[in-house]
Amino acid sequence: MEANNFPVTSSSGLRILARPAFAGLFLLWATGSVFLRAAEPKISFRDVTFRTGIKFQHTDGSTGRRHIVETVASGLATFDYDGDGLIDIYFLNGAPLDEPRPTVLPRNALYRNLGGFQFREVTHQAAVGDTGYGLGVAVGDFDNDGFPDVYISNYGANVFYRNNGDGTFTDITPQTGTASAHPEKAGAGTSFLDFDGDGDLDLYVANYLAFSPRMGITNSWRGIPIYPDPSRFRHWPDQLFRNNGEGTFTDISREAGVDRHQGRGMGMVCADFDNDGDTDVFVASDGPPGNSLLINDGQGHFEDIAMLAGVAFDSAGLAHGAMGADCGDYDNDGWLDLYVTSYQGQWATLYRNLGGALFDDVTQATGAGAGSLNHVTWGCNFVDFDNDGDRDIFYGCGHLIDNIELLDDSTSLEAPPVLLVNTGRGTFVNASASAGELTQVKAVARGVAFDDLDNDGKVDVVILSSRRPPVVLQTDASANNSWVHLHLQGTRTNRDGVGARVKVAAGKLVQIAEVHSGRGYQSHYGTRLHFGLGAHSRIDRIEVRWIGGGVDVWENLPAHRQIVLREGSPDWIEIGRLR
Amino acid sequence: MFFLCAMAAGALSGLATAWLLRSKNSPNIDGLVNQISADLAASLASLPKPEPFLLPDEPPLPRNTRELIEEVNALVAELIKICPNNVDALEMKARAEDWQGKTKAAIATWEECLRLNPQYVHAYVGMAALAARAGEHEKAAELARKAMELDPTSFRARDILAESLINLQRPAEAVEVLEEFLRNDPRSRGFFLLGRAYSLLDQWEKAAQAYQAAVNKYPRYAEAYYALARVQRRLGQRKEAQETTAKYWELMKQREPTRQGMETAVDDFKEMSINGAILLTDIGRVYFAVGQFHRAERLWQRAAKLDPHNVPCRQLLATLCQRQGRLWEAVSWYRELTQIESDNPVNWLEIGQLFAGSLQFEEAEAAFSKACEVAPERPDGYAALVRLYLSSGRKVERAPQVARTLVTKAPTAENYVLLAASCEQTGDMEGALSALKHALQLAPQNQTYQRMYERLLAGKPSAASTTPSKDEK
């Protein structure tokens, strides 16, 4: 059947309103309207986990032997698996690493969003309960059938689930050739991207290191056993799989040049960092030799320019124990900036994209590292929580040494996440203390996902907490700013518009974003793009540059809506609840 | 004061690397020096080697980190018991707590220090450092500023204050703090922070100058090379940036430990022992300050055993032995220091002085020659050699040659007088007059030099020696 991700009617009461739109390519930006910036709104979060019905409990499989893989589990994904217009949640889980293994194994869990922050577990029905050791996940419609598929990066063999379009999935790992099944391979972040612009999604798989419980590598600090550090393990090279277009993939890691980096990969994000129209790759690295920024020549070859570009290290030339990574245009200058979380004692780092393959570590200049020094920091993103037209920063915290409080009382295992509000003047302010229940959250964060779970126009947060239940945060903001959700639909290019660059102009407020698959700390979220519009009630112009395709422009669109933009179509489709 | 000493210890080896830039442009004197110093190892080996003084109740060294922590805690408790209400003893307690990750206890102890002595600078510095580590930059800046008010020379307080201001997005204030301070105390870390502050102000030329000053002061400062390369790229100096980046990589590779196979079990005992040795050394200083020399020496010896590369404990032991007339033990500690700091001539000069003081000419000459060999650009070794020849009256014929090298290294009035004395002692009156002329040109008001010159002009022989005493400048 032909998929339509946007139901005419749905249990959540959404409705489709087809509207004519002014279409046209390469039109001049409207410049007459006044830039309407909202007053400083207050952002607050409410912990609604208890009423979500989510019973998931993460395990890292630990038995006290302190295997390094346990410290980095796991990511999660938020995506609309059943096309009902509500974002669902898929949690990865760890698994026992030592023998004897229990007869009932922990498994990943899929929760269907019923609306109103109510979720129901559908893992069994959907057949996505992998029992491998889950580390990273990406979602992408690799076969362009309109249903998002799921790829999981494990310790050991990876798993590829094809979405059947009827609420179920099929494990197609063997036929795709993407298992990367070496038993000592510990995976990391993974992303779908169309690196060659041929209209179907390829797959980048970052890897962490070579590990086996039999290695018996131990460590102690101040006389107390702790987890070993990654430098004791050999790195495992990253992989790039080209989509052959008929359900199979080919490993082209070597010829593409992605297997050369010696870093121990963690979170990653694929985006057009040099504004040349193709998708590049950033992989965070846990320690030396630093992060990698692989620039795509558009022909399937990548060159690591992280060192020259200034994103391999911090401003002092130190390779961080980098964890999560995401990108966004925090200063609305048309270039995607990078945010990279890291180990205790190191700033979570903001790299400003200056253009010309040059970034500047502006952490100190902007205050974007606030709250991070005495914690290990993980999933992160640039999100406009208050819809004021600039992107704030949110990151999760939680130590990876489970007995850290015996060793260092300046930090803690559990820690609240951090909200840094964008002042609109190129700086950030730590607003966690005034963000509702945020400081009451006690999580051991790993993956953090950002999506509007209740379709109210504000981006909510889900935190996967190691060895604990997850945390679901409902977002609210005092100001009633405008917003828009954009769902891209490729027709000639990949179906979900992964990699497409979107420019939204409302008055003088001009913002960019891209659709990214697999990001943050080994997680997936945000396929549906969110833009805050401040006090603007209408959007003057939206321009979409499709990966491997052309540019489409739509004009004069309403705010407070979910809008579908279909490639090559002058019309746009509105889904949403009018406010 | 102890806090500063501990912090400075790490920087010493870096500063010494400036001496690595050797240019052997004096082949004659180098030949002489090499010839003498080549025999030094054998010469010193032939000396009796007294065992360092050991207490009979010396317990075995800790075998692991847990035992080390227990020992340090016991030593701190004993110190507090023996020296109650002693603020320096409390400082040791605060530092030991911080070392073990007990930051809350450390803060409480620093506050106790301030109750005993509200002017105790190190308490402010210690608390400022903890606040900075926790990301509490306002608090760190406030505490560091207080420390600087009490002790304007505290470079550690300055660094914390400057870095906190940078983190508070007040780089212009950081520049103000740093520039004034660096004029009087030009340290590499200060220049690095200055470079960062200028970078944040988009003053790239000034940033480059500051980073360049940092690597000039400390040529192994990898972080400063990286920062300099970034600034050079911003300035469009691509070639320079590439060269600076290459230097950064070279230094970073030297930092990475070479892994010999895959060890399965590792711990932090070695690293903790290094820090433990610093603590023991400083606890020993507290005992020394209250006259408990025996306890001080015991702790310094233990520190030396815990960390075979700890310099301050060996310097303290050498000085203590020297003052107590235990010269062979002093020589023994200085010999260890020459092995740890192979490019530092000071230890060879100390050995030479000890031998010269005990009238062992050959050994003294060998030690001074070694000082010249390890730091050929520094004048100290040549001056010591000339003085040795002239004061002992042995091998005087070598003195003029060494003195000529000396004045090329440091053309001071005093050194020209040494050359004059050397020439006079070997009958080269023309050379002596010429050298004294130079000395008088450099110090025309010096009456002693004037009298020497007049005496030489009159053709009168020296009464005893033309060698000026160190006080006759």
Side-chain angles (χ1 to χ4, degrees):
Chain A
M1 87 185 171
E2 172 63 25
N4 182 349
N5 286 351
F6 316 101
V8 173
T9 58
S10 81
S11 57
S12 60
L14 302 178
R15 59 199 172 97
I16 295 177
L17 300 168
R19 295 281 179 93
F22 296 102
L25 299 175
F26 307 109
L27 294 177
L28 292 173
W29 294 109
T31 54
S33 56
V34 177
F35 174 39
L36 299 172
R37 187 180 167 74
E40 304 272 337
K42 185 180 167 190
I43 301 164
S44 67
F45 296 94
R46 182 183 303 165
D47 185 346
V48 296
T49 316
F50 67 95
R51 66 179 173 94
T52 58
I54 293 172
K55 305 293 182 198
F56 175 75
Q57 163 88 27
H58 178 262
T59 177
D60 59 8
S62 53
T63 58
R65 291 183 61 195
R66 293 198 168 84
H67 300 304
I68 190 167
V69 173
E70 295 160 11
T71 65
V72 293
S74 306
L76 76 162
T78 49
F79 68 111
D80 182 7
Y81 87 97
D82 55 357
D84 66 354
L86 291 165
I87 301 294
D88 311 296
I89 309 175
Y90 185 57
F91 297 103
L92 298 194
N93 213 346
L97 293 165
D98 296 309
E99 301 294 341
R101 286 159 65 89
T103 47
V104 178
L105 292 168
R107 58 182 186 178
N108 302 342
L110 176 63
Y111 282 86
R112 180 166 182 256
N113 189 342
L114 307 176
F117 280 100
Q118 294 289 302
F119 291 81
R120 188 177 70 222
E121 183 171 3
V122 293
T123 313
H124 181 72
Q125 299 93 306
V128 287
D130 180 45
T131 56
Y133 200 104
L135 293 168
V137 59
V139 175
D141 185 1
F142 87 100
D143 51 3
N144 291 332
D145 66 352
F147 304 107
D149 310 298
V150 178
Y151 184 79
I152 302 158
S153 178
N154 281 336
Y155 163 55
N158 298 341
V159 173
F160 204 140
Y161 285 122
R162 181 179 184 277
N163 190 330
N164 301 319
D166 58 1
T168 68
F169 290 78
T170 301
D171 183 348
I172 56 165
T173 318
Q175 54 266 44
T176 59
T178 57
S180 186
H182 196 289
E184 290 193 349
K185 180 232 42 171
T190 181
S191 297
F192 285 102
L193 74 162
D194 184 6
F195 75 87
D196 50 5
D198 66 352
D200 55 32
L201 289 176
D202 312 296
L203 183 61
Y204 192 101
V205 183
N207 287 311
Y208 189 37
L209 44 73
F211 161 77
S212 160
R214 290 186 302 279
M215 289 174 178
I217 291 175
T218 64
N219 193 11
S220 73
W221 183 33
R222 292 176 174 154
I224 294 174
I226 60 164
Y227 281 99
D229 76 83
S231 69
R232 312 271 308 284
F233 302 84
R234 183 170 53 81
H235 86 282
W236 197 282
D238 291 355
Q239 292 167 291
L240 178 62
F241 294 98
R242 185 202 299 272
N243 189 336
N244 299 323
E246 20 76 316
T248 66
F249 288 77
T250 302
D251 185 343
I252 58 160
S253 312
R254 177 142 302 177
E255 50 265 47
V258 305
D259 64 346
R260 293 181 200 141
H261 188 64
Q262 305 285 307
R264 294 165 185 86
M266 297 290 281
M268 63 172 296
V269 60
C270 298
D272 183 3
F273 291 107
D274 53 1
N275 285 356
D276 68 347
D278 57 34
T279 303
D280 312 302
V281 179
F282 178 85
V283 184
S285 174
D286 194 357
N291 307 317
S292 55
L293 175 57
L294 301 165
I295 293 297
N296 186 353
D297 71 355
Q299 307 297 312
H301 298 102
F302 290 83
E303 184 189 1
D304 186 355
I305 64 155
M307 171 77 190
L308 283 172
V311 295
F313 314 122
D314 67 9
S315 60
L318 294 178
H320 283 189
M323 304 297 178
D326 212 331
C327 63
D329 182 11
Y330 82 91
D331 52 358
N332 289 338
D333 67 350
W335 295 87
L336 291 173
D337 312 294
L338 271 164
Y339 196 72
V340 185
T341 51
S342 55
Y343 195 68
Q344 182 192 355
Q346 302 163 344
W347 296 105
T349 307
L350 173 59
Y351 297 100
R352 182 169 177 240
N353 191 339
L354 306 175
L358 201 59
F359 287 75
D360 200 7
D361 174 354
V362 294
T363 313
Q364 290 167 308
T366 59
S372 67
L373 264 188
N374 54 341
H375 292 292
V376 185
T377 53
W378 300 86
C380 58
N381 195 12
F382 297 93
V383 179
D384 187 357
F385 286 109
D386 49 9
N387 292 331
D388 65 348
D390 52 39
R391 292 170 196 276
D392 314 298
I393 292 173
F394 187 103
Y395 62 81
C397 301
H399 221 284
L400 55 74
I401 297 175
D402 55 350
N403 50 355
I404 187 64
E405 284 147 21
L406 292 174
L407 294 151
D408 179 357
D409 65 9
S410 71
T411 184
S412 56
L413 176 63
E414 293 180 328
V418 172
L419 168 71
L420 303 173
V421 171
N422 192 330
T423 64
R425 300 179 294 276
T427 58
F428 293 86
V429 172
N430 188 344
S432 306
S434 60
E437 298 172 0
L438 197 63
T439 54
Q440 293 163 38
V441 171
K442 300 295 179 195
V444 185
R446 295 297 185 264
V448 183
F450 305 85
D451 258 311
D452 183 358
L453 298 177
D454 56 351
N455 288 335
D456 68 346
K458 290 184 272 292
V459 176
D460 308 297
V461 182
V462 186
I463 302 172
L464 186 142
S465 188
S466 172
R467 299 188 197 174
R468 284 157 180 76
V471 177
V472 181
L473 297 173
Q474 181 182 15
T475 305
D476 201 359
S478 59
N480 190 24
N481 286 326
S482 297
W483 54 273
V484 67
H485 287 329
L486 299 179
H487 199 134
L488 305 193
Q489 202 171 85
T491 52
R492 291 182 290 272
T493 64
N494 77 81
R495 169 74 188 222
D496 285 340
V498 172
R501 170 71 64 96
V502 180
K503 188 188 279 187
V504 171
K508 289 184 179 174
L509 176 63
V510 180
Q511 300 174 79
I512 63 158
E514 286 181 2
V515 180
H516 298 143
S517 160
R519 57 202 293 202
Y521 182 70
Q522 302 182 177
S523 296
H524 175 95
Y525 46 85
T527 305
R528 192 172 65 186
L529 297 178
H530 170 86
F531 290 88
L533 299 169
H536 295 282
S537 57
R538 295 197 71 80
I539 300 161
D540 297 317
R541 188 177 194 270
I542 297 178
E543 176 188 294
V544 178
R545 187 190 69 199
W546 305 91
I547 281 289
V551 177
D552 289 334
V553 174
W554 293 265
E555 289 185 324
N556 194 23
L557 297 90
H560 291 288
R561 305 286 196 282
Q562 292 188 52
I563 292 173
V564 180
L565 301 173
R566 190 188 294 260
E567 182 182 11
S569 168
D571 296 336
W572 40 268
I573 304 167
E574 176 188 322
I575 320 166
R577 187 183 295 126
L578 295 172
R579 291 172 59 106
Chain B
M1 69 178 163
F2 306 118
F3 193 85
L4 299 187
C5 296
M7 296 311 300
L12 284 175
S13 62
L15 296 172
T17 53
W19 301 325
L20 280 171
L21 301 170
R22 299 170 190 174
S23 104
K24 299 207 169 188
N25 55 2
S26 305
N28 293 337
I29 188 63
D30 279 351
L32 177 64
V33 163
N34 292 339
Q35 178 197 332
I36 299 167
S37 64
D39 300 329
L40 183 64
S43 172
L44 284 177
S46 67
L47 291 170
K49 289 182 186 172
E51 282 298 313
F53 178 74
L54 290 171
L55 291 173
D57 58 346
E58 187 72 11
L61 285 173
R63 291 161 300 180
N64 54 49
T65 304
R66 194 180 290 266
E67 288 181 6
L68 175 66
I69 289 173
E70 282 170 10
E71 175 170 330
V72 169
N73 285 341
L75 286 168
V76 168
E78 188 183 25
L79 176 72
I80 298 286
K81 194 176 165 189
I82 292 171
C83 306
N85 299 318
N86 181 316
V87 73
D88 292 332
L90 273 179
E91 180 190 332
M92 296 304 111
K93 182 167 180 272
R95 283 172 49 194
E97 286 161 344
D98 186 12
W99 175 62
Q100 292 168 60
K102 298 172 181 171
T103 56
K104 294 184 179 81
I107 290 169
T109 308
W110 285 124
E111 285 168 348
E112 208 179 330
C113 286
L114 289 176
R115 278 193 290 276
L116 276 179
N117 178 3
Q119 310 296 310
Y120 199 63
V121 175
H122 310 300
Y124 287 110
V125 176
M127 287 195 292
L130 288 172
R133 239 161 53 198
E136 298 168 0
H137 307 301
E138 286 280 9
K139 191 174 173 186
E142 186 187 333
L143 289 162
R145 209 181 277 283
K146 178 75 180 170
M148 283 190 70
E149 282 167 18
L150 294 169
D151 177 10
T153 67
S154 172
F155 70 90
R156 179 120 169 89
R158 172 209 63 188
D159 288 354
I160 294 171
L161 175 59
E163 190 159 13
S164 299
L165 290 170
I166 288 169
N167 290 331
L168 290 165
Q169 294 133 53
R170 288 150 58 185
E173 285 178 63
V175 167
E176 205 174 304
V177 167
L178 289 162
E179 281 206 321
E180 184 187 345
F181 200 107
L182 285 165
R183 273 193 286 275
N184 301 317
D185 188 11
R187 289 173 195 262
S188 55
R189 174 71 181 158
F191 282 120
F192 179 83
L193 291 170
L194 184 63
R196 185 74 193 134
Y198 275 129
S199 296
L200 295 178
L201 292 166
D202 287 348
Q203 297 186 33
W204 303 108
E205 292 282 0
K206 285 186 173 176
Q209 285 169 16
Y211 287 132
Q212 189 63 57
V215 300
N216 289 346
K217 289 297 292 180
Y218 179 25
R220 304 185 67 76
Y221 204 160
E223 291 83 353
Y225 277 108
Y226 179 81
L228 177 59
R230 302 296 314 156
V231 172
Q232 286 167 332
R233 265 188 71 102
R234 291 295 291 257
L235 289 167
Q237 300 166 353
R238 294 184 70 87
K239 186 167 174 288
E240 290 86 347
Q242 278 176 354
E243 287 168 6
T244 310
T245 302
K247 184 71 185 171
Y248 164 81
W249 279 117
E250 181 191 324
L251 291 170
M252 289 305 279
K253 276 177 190 162
Q254 289 168 17
R255 275 194 201 173
E256 286 173 14
T258 307
R259 294 193 182 282
Q260 302 292 334
M262 182 70 85
E263 290 175 273
T264 55
V266 294
D267 60 25
D268 58 347
F269 184 47
K270 189 175 174 186
E271 180 194 324
M272 290 290 276
S273 296
I274 291 169
N275 294 321
I278 294 170
L279 272 170
L280 261 58
T281 302
D282 291 344
I283 293 171
R285 290 185 212 248
V286 181
Y287 280 126
F288 190 85
V290 297
Q292 300 243 15
F293 304 136
H294 209 62
R295 285 180 189 276
E297 182 173 1
R298 175 178 165 264
L299 285 165
W300 293 338
Q301 289 206 29
R302 206 156 172 80
K305 286 178 186 166
L306 268 179
D307 178 9
H309 296 97
N310 183 293
V311 168
C313 71
R314 287 173 172 79
Q315 287 172 333
L316 289 161
L317 283 163
T319 307
L320 179 72
C321 293
Q322 204 170 338
R323 287 184 184 174
Q324 292 181 344
R326 292 148 57 190
L327 299 185
W328 297 126
E329 285 178 64
V331 169
S332 169
W333 289 116
Y334 280 125
R335 278 166 61 190
E336 283 200 26
L337 284 166
T338 63
Q339 285 158 17
I340 297 167
E341 306 178 299
S342 58
D343 51 3
N344 185 351
V346 172
N347 301 311
W348 290 111
L349 292 171
E350 294 287 356
I351 292 172
Q353 297 297 352
L354 284 168
F355 281 129
S358 59
L359 303 179
Q360 297 189 65
F361 174 84
E362 300 292 346
E363 288 78 5
E365 183 193 33
F368 291 144
S369 300
K370 194 71 184 175
C372 299
E373 184 188 313
V374 299
E377 291 308 308
R378 286 184 51 150
D380 325 41
Y382 304 104
L385 266 178
V386 175
R387 289 180 191 281
L388 177 70
Y389 294 139
L390 297 179
S391 61
S392 68
R394 295 176 62 183
K395 298 188 185 173
V396 179
E397 70 281 2
R398 288 182 173 180
Q401 187 186 1
V402 180
R404 284 195 185 91
T405 305
L406 171 63
V407 297
T408 64
K409 309 292 179 191
T412 64
E414 186 189 7
N415 290 339
Y416 272 109
V417 173
L418 275 178
L419 175 59
S422 305
C423 292
E424 187 190 10
Q425 290 279 310
T426 51
D428 176 8
M429 302 311 284
E430 198 176 319
L433 277 168
S434 167
L436 266 179
K437 263 187 192 170
H438 273 104
L440 279 167
Q441 281 168 3
L442 292 165
Q445 305 303 320
N446 190 306
Q447 295 301 312
T448 308
Y449 299 168
Q450 188 63 42
R451 283 197 296 277
M452 286 177 189
Y453 186 70
E454 287 162 3
R455 179 181 55 73
L456 277 178
L457 266 183
K460 292 180 186 172
S462 159
S465 166
T466 318
T467 313
S469 74
K470 277 188 175 176
D471 301 328
E472 287 179 321
K473 291 182 184 175

